[in-house]
Amino acid sequence: MRLRSFRSADFEKLYEIDQACFAPGISYSREELERFIAHRNSQTWVAEEAREIVGFLIANREPRKTMHIVTIDVVAAWRRRGVGALLMDAAERWAKDHALVLIGLETAQDNLGAQRFYEGRGYRKVDEVENYYADGTAAWVMVKELS
Ligand SMILES: CC(C)(COP(=O)(O)OP(=O)(O)OC[C@H]1O[C@@H](n2cnc3c(N)ncnc32)[C@H](O)[C@@H]1OP(=O)(O)O)[C@@H](O)C(=O)NCCC(=O)NCCS
């Protein structure tokens, strides 16, 4: 397993993974995904095993020394094998290297697996947003302070 930065040739595969990871209304359109990846303050890590992409994470640097996790997607067959942890480790390291003090993210309230994953890494629920996703699903806002 290795992590590397995003290359433009990865795009269709990342789009396909995102479509498979999330229900319609939560998954991103091509345009949204493109915009998030191309944003000048964003960083995308790709996890690869034997040249196959098995997951990715997009994070965005925001005001007030905050990093926002835009999305983290691991291919279903590769879950619970440490890929997500590896991607989050890289993003958190990047935030620390840039002297950021807070990481924030949103996750669907019915996505209990993701909530367990984040809680296990020290994220806590601080707010909820009704109708956060296009399909009407509410989200938890979760944060982690970096020391
Ligand atoms: C959430 C997600 C990124 C986790 O990635 P992963 O590679 O499976 O996570 P890891 O293997 O690194 O898990 C690390 C730990 O997190 C916890 N965890 C991860 N997934 C979990 C689940 N579904 N239920 C409960 N705990 C979970 C466990 O403690 C796990 O350690 P363990 O396997 O030794 O028990 C992945 O399930 C995924 O891509 N899901 C679909 C997309 C999604 O929901 N993304 C988050 C949206 S905000």
Side-chain angles (χ1 to χ4, degrees), residues 21-22 72-74 78-85 106-107 111 113-114 116-118:
C21 276
F22 296 102
I72 173 169
D73 299 30
V74 174
W78 282 87
R79 290 182 196 156
R80 302 304 287 265
R81 293 163 81 171
V83 179
E106 294 80 25
T107 189
N111 193 345
R116 296 292 93 79
F117 172 71
Y118 293 128

Side-chain angles (χ1 to χ4, degrees), residues 17 21-22 30 35-36 43 45 58 69 75-76 87 90 142:
I17 293 173
C21 276
F22 296 102
R30 276 198 176 77
R35 186 155 33 84
F36 286 129
Q43 182 75 24
W45 291 266
I58 306 172
I69 305 286
V75 170
L87 287 163
M142 300 184 77

Side-chain angles (χ1 to χ4, degrees), residues 100-132:
L100 307 186
V101 297
L102 190 77
I103 304 180
L105 60 91
E106 294 80 25
T107 189
Q109 286 195 343
D110 58 7
N111 193 345
L112 301 180
Q115 289 161 40
R116 296 292 93 79
F117 172 71
Y118 293 128
E119 281 166 350
R121 300 188 60 89
Y123 291 75
R124 61 193 168 85
K125 294 168 182 160
V126 290
D127 202 2
E128 53 185 316
V129 188
E130 294 300 325
N131 291 312
Y132 180 78

Side-chain angles (χ1 to χ4, degrees), residues 12-141:
E12 275 306 311
K13 184 65 188 174
L14 301 203
Y15 175 69
E16 188 188 298
I17 293 173
D18 192 68
Q19 291 288 306
C21 276
F22 296 102
I26 293 190
S27 61
Y28 292 126
S29 66
R30 276 198 176 77
E31 293 68 29
E32 287 169 321
L33 196 61
E34 232 161 35
R35 186 155 33 84
F36 286 129
I37 293 172
H39 194 282
R40 65 193 161 86
N41 291 336
S42 93
Q43 182 75 24
T44 300
W45 291 266
V46 170
E48 236 181 13
E49 176 68 30
R51 293 175 162 250
E52 180 197 350
I53 297 177
V54 295
F56 70 98
L57 184 156
I58 306 172
N60 200 8
R61 189 174 166 174
E62 295 191 340
R64 291 184 294 280
K65 296 190 173 185
T66 299
M67 181 175 84
H68 183 227
I69 305 286
V70 176
T71 195
I72 173 169
D73 299 30
V74 174
V75 170
W78 282 87
R79 290 182 196 156
R80 302 304 287 265
R81 293 163 81 171
V83 179
L86 209 62
L87 287 163
M88 289 293 284
D89 286 347
E92 291 177 4
R93 205 163 41 241
W94 185 75
K96 283 184 185 157
D97 288 348
H98 288 81
L100 307 186
V101 297
L102 190 77
I103 304 180
L105 60 91
E106 294 80 25
T107 189
Q109 286 195 343
D110 58 7
N111 193 345
L112 301 180
Q115 289 161 40
R116 296 292 93 79
F117 172 71
Y118 293 128
E119 281 166 350
R121 300 188 60 89
Y123 291 75
R124 61 193 168 85
K125 294 168 182 160
V126 290
D127 202 2
E128 53 185 316
V129 188
E130 294 300 325
N131 291 312
Y132 180 78
Y133 296 99
D135 70 350
T137 306
W140 287 114
V141 177

